[in-house]
Short mmCIF file of all heavy atoms in Angstrom, two decimals:
data_model
loop_
_atom_site.label_atom_id
_atom_site.label_comp_id
_atom_site.label_asym_id
_atom_site.label_seq_id
_atom_site.Cartn_x
_atom_site.Cartn_y
_atom_site.Cartn_z
N ALA A 6 -2.24 4.91 -4.90
CA ALA A 6 -3.33 5.04 -5.87
C ALA A 6 -3.85 3.66 -6.29
O ALA A 6 -5.05 3.44 -6.40
CB ALA A 6 -2.87 5.83 -7.08
N LYS A 9 -5.79 2.10 -3.44
CA LYS A 9 -7.14 2.67 -3.33
C LYS A 9 -8.06 2.11 -4.42
O LYS A 9 -9.20 1.78 -4.16
CB LYS A 9 -7.05 4.19 -3.43
CG LYS A 9 -8.37 4.87 -3.20
CD LYS A 9 -8.20 6.36 -3.12
CE LYS A 9 -9.57 6.96 -2.89
NZ LYS A 9 -9.54 8.22 -2.23
N LEU A 11 -7.81 -0.79 -5.96
CA LEU A 11 -8.12 -2.19 -5.62
C LEU A 11 -9.19 -2.26 -4.54
O LEU A 11 -10.11 -3.07 -4.62
CB LEU A 11 -6.86 -2.92 -5.15
CG LEU A 11 -5.88 -3.33 -6.23
CD1 LEU A 11 -4.57 -3.81 -5.61
CD2 LEU A 11 -6.47 -4.40 -7.12
N GLU A 19 -21.46 -5.07 2.46
CA GLU A 19 -21.16 -5.53 3.81
C GLU A 19 -19.98 -4.77 4.43
O GLU A 19 -19.88 -4.67 5.65
CB GLU A 19 -20.90 -7.04 3.82
CG GLU A 19 -22.17 -7.87 3.64
CD GLU A 19 -22.77 -7.82 2.23
OE1 GLU A 19 -22.04 -7.54 1.26
OE2 GLU A 19 -23.99 -8.05 2.11
N PHE A 24 -18.12 0.80 8.73
CA PHE A 24 -17.95 2.24 8.69
C PHE A 24 -18.37 2.85 10.03
O PHE A 24 -19.25 2.31 10.71
CB PHE A 24 -18.78 2.87 7.58
CG PHE A 24 -18.23 2.68 6.18
CD1 PHE A 24 -17.23 1.77 5.91
CD2 PHE A 24 -18.72 3.42 5.14
CE1 PHE A 24 -16.72 1.60 4.63
CE2 PHE A 24 -18.23 3.27 3.85
CZ PHE A 24 -17.23 2.36 3.60
N ASN A 25 -17.77 3.97 10.37
CA ASN A 25 -18.17 4.62 11.62
C ASN A 25 -19.47 5.42 11.39
O ASN A 25 -19.92 5.57 10.25
CB ASN A 25 -17.04 5.48 12.19
CG ASN A 25 -16.66 6.66 11.32
OD1 ASN A 25 -17.50 7.31 10.71
ND2 ASN A 25 -15.37 6.94 11.25
N ARG A 50 -29.53 -7.46 11.45
CA ARG A 50 -30.52 -6.67 12.22
C ARG A 50 -29.87 -5.53 13.00
O ARG A 50 -30.42 -4.44 13.09
CB ARG A 50 -31.29 -7.59 13.17
CG ARG A 50 -32.34 -6.81 13.95
CD ARG A 50 -33.39 -7.69 14.52
NE ARG A 50 -34.30 -8.04 13.43
CZ ARG A 50 -35.12 -9.09 13.44
NH1 ARG A 50 -35.16 -9.88 14.46
NH2 ARG A 50 -35.91 -9.33 12.43
N ILE A 60 -29.73 7.92 10.53
CA ILE A 60 -30.21 8.81 9.47
C ILE A 60 -31.31 9.72 10.03
O ILE A 60 -31.96 9.38 11.02
CB ILE A 60 -30.67 8.02 8.22
CG1 ILE A 60 -31.83 7.07 8.52
CG2 ILE A 60 -29.51 7.26 7.61
CD1 ILE A 60 -32.34 6.29 7.30
N ILE A 71 -40.64 1.54 3.27
CA ILE A 71 -40.23 0.66 2.16
C ILE A 71 -39.69 -0.66 2.70
O ILE A 71 -40.01 -1.74 2.19
CB ILE A 71 -39.16 1.35 1.28
CG1 ILE A 71 -39.69 2.65 0.68
CG2 ILE A 71 -38.63 0.41 0.21
CD1 ILE A 71 -40.80 2.49 -0.33
N SER A 83 -33.39 -5.32 -3.67
CA SER A 83 -32.49 -5.07 -2.55
C SER A 83 -31.04 -5.11 -3.00
O SER A 83 -30.22 -4.27 -2.62
CB SER A 83 -32.73 -6.09 -1.43
OG SER A 83 -31.85 -5.84 -0.35
N LYS A 87 -28.36 -2.07 -2.82
CA LYS A 87 -27.03 -2.20 -2.19
C LYS A 87 -25.93 -1.78 -3.16
O LYS A 87 -25.00 -1.07 -2.78
CB LYS A 87 -26.81 -3.65 -1.74
CG LYS A 87 -27.63 -4.03 -0.54
CD LYS A 87 -27.44 -5.49 -0.19
CE LYS A 87 -28.33 -5.87 0.97
NZ LYS A 87 -28.30 -7.29 1.27
N ASN A 88 -26.05 -2.20 -4.41
CA ASN A 88 -25.06 -1.82 -5.43
C ASN A 88 -25.05 -0.31 -5.65
O ASN A 88 -23.99 0.29 -5.83
CB ASN A 88 -25.31 -2.55 -6.75
CG ASN A 88 -25.00 -4.03 -6.66
OD1 ASN A 88 -24.23 -4.47 -5.80
ND2 ASN A 88 -25.60 -4.81 -7.54
#
Side-chain angles (χ1 to χ4, degrees):
K9 185 172 180 154
L11 284 170
E19 287 71 24
F24 284 14
N25 65 39
R50 181 161 282 160
I60 61 179
I71 300 293
S83 180
K87 288 176 183 174
N88 290 337

